Amino acid sequence: MAGKRTVLTAGLRRLAALLFEMREGVGLSKEEVSGKTGINVTTLYRIEAAQARPQRRTLMTLLELYGVEQERRKYALDLLSDAQKPGMSRPYEANLTEVYSAYINFESEALSARHYQTSYIPGLLQTPQYAGAVIDTSMPKVEAAVMESRVAARMNRATVLSKEEPLELWVVLDEAAIRRVVGGADIMRGQLEKLLLESKRKNVILQILPYDAGAHPGMAGAFTLLDFPEPNDPELVYVEGIAGDELIEGHLEIRRFGVIFDQLRAIALSPRDSVGLIERIAETMH
């Protein structure tokens, strides 16, 4: 069942990386570990790929085999405890894709997010009415209860902007997203007013990429870069697309998206000029 699946969290990814590092450190292959412990090779693969949470006894068996000292053993057990905690996506997972659920969990633990969007207002800045109008266009069509769950998940996500240590959000938004009337003029005007309000937060930077900027490197599609406070947590990129969403890791890939974002924010309007453009467009929504 969808509600029983293991959805990726920062804690689970941290534990998986640690176990891979430990196994590599003692020079054992997965097959050798399986032969010495009786743990299935497929299970070991899923644990090290953060696709499954190890049971406590499985973790203890691996730590014993790897000869892990007490302090590091405690760290691994603490990570397991952390990985067992439900992520922010838990109440909504039955109605969300696995990748999107994982993204919500990572976003809730991130230090900062750099977001580029081409077609619509980013989820963290949406009103419930706008979110419902966007989700209503999904294919295939979803039932009312599923739509309500997805809108609720989106609204709950936005709490990362107002928590004690809020997410630092930098958004570059294509002009098309603020001109396209989604859900009717009233809903769109409310959404633009919400954008103006959110842009006043100290932890939010909003820039509009105007039409007259011409061709640019972000035309291939939307993406989000997440940075984390833990130095052992590598950056992530979340990419949205019709073929499905994707979470990307890897230094070279991350660097490419970082360079693209830097180019986009350099050619976008300043935050002040962006607010002015949004205000002018909002005045036309009657």
Side-chain angles (χ1 to χ4, degrees), residues 67-259:
V68 179
E69 72 278 6
Q70 189 61 35
E71 185 176 344
R72 209 168 188 215
R73 182 175 300 208
K74 181 181 182 303
Y75 176 60
L77 290 170
D78 286 344
L79 285 182
L80 176 61
S81 178
D82 188 44
Q84 290 171 334
K85 296 175 183 176
M88 182 179 276
S89 68
R90 176 62 66 84
Y92 316 102
E93 286 170 5
N95 297 314
L96 304 176
T97 67
E98 189 169 337
V99 174
Y100 182 49
S101 296
Y103 172 72
I104 290 176
N105 293 335
F106 282 118
E107 182 183 67
S108 69
E109 298 190 45
L111 176 68
S112 66
R114 288 166 285 168
H115 185 85
Y116 168 64
Q117 182 55 258
T118 59
S119 304
Y120 54 83
I121 309 302
L124 289 179
L125 305 177
Q126 290 179 6
T127 65
Q129 296 79 10
Y130 182 94
V134 169
I135 294 170
D136 190 42
T137 65
S138 62
M139 295 295 290
K141 292 287 186 180
V142 298
E143 298 176 358
V146 174
M147 181 186 295
E148 289 175 9
S149 178
R150 292 183 181 178
V151 170
R154 200 161 293 188
M155 296 305 103
N156 191 45
R157 276 178 58 200
T159 60
V160 298
L161 296 176
S162 56
K163 62 183 182 179
E164 187 175 348
E165 295 183 11
L167 179 76
E168 298 288 336
L169 179 65
W170 193 322
V171 174
V172 175
L173 188 57
D174 194 280
E175 185 175 342
I178 59 174
R179 289 194 180 276
R180 180 173 287 107
V181 179
V182 174
D186 287 343
I187 288 178
M188 195 62 204
R189 183 183 178 90
Q191 177 58 72
L192 294 179
E193 290 172 349
K194 166 80 168 174
L195 268 187
L196 293 171
L197 183 64
E198 295 293 339
S199 70
K200 295 178 181 178
R201 291 184 184 270
K202 293 181 179 180
N203 56 308
V204 174
I205 297 175
L206 176 62
Q207 292 181 264
I208 303 300
L209 187 62
Y211 287 144
D212 59 17
H216 57 79
M219 293 173 70
F223 62 87
T224 304
L225 289 125
L226 295 179
D227 297 282
F228 299 89
E230 283 280 340
N232 292 330
D233 288 341
E235 295 173 296
L236 276 178
V237 171
Y238 175 63
V239 179
E240 303 172 72
I242 293 177
D245 302 344
E246 184 180 7
L247 284 170
I248 300 173
E249 294 183 76
H251 174 69
L252 293 178
E253 284 293 311
I254 299 295
R255 185 175 183 277
R256 181 167 66 89
F257 282 99
V259 169

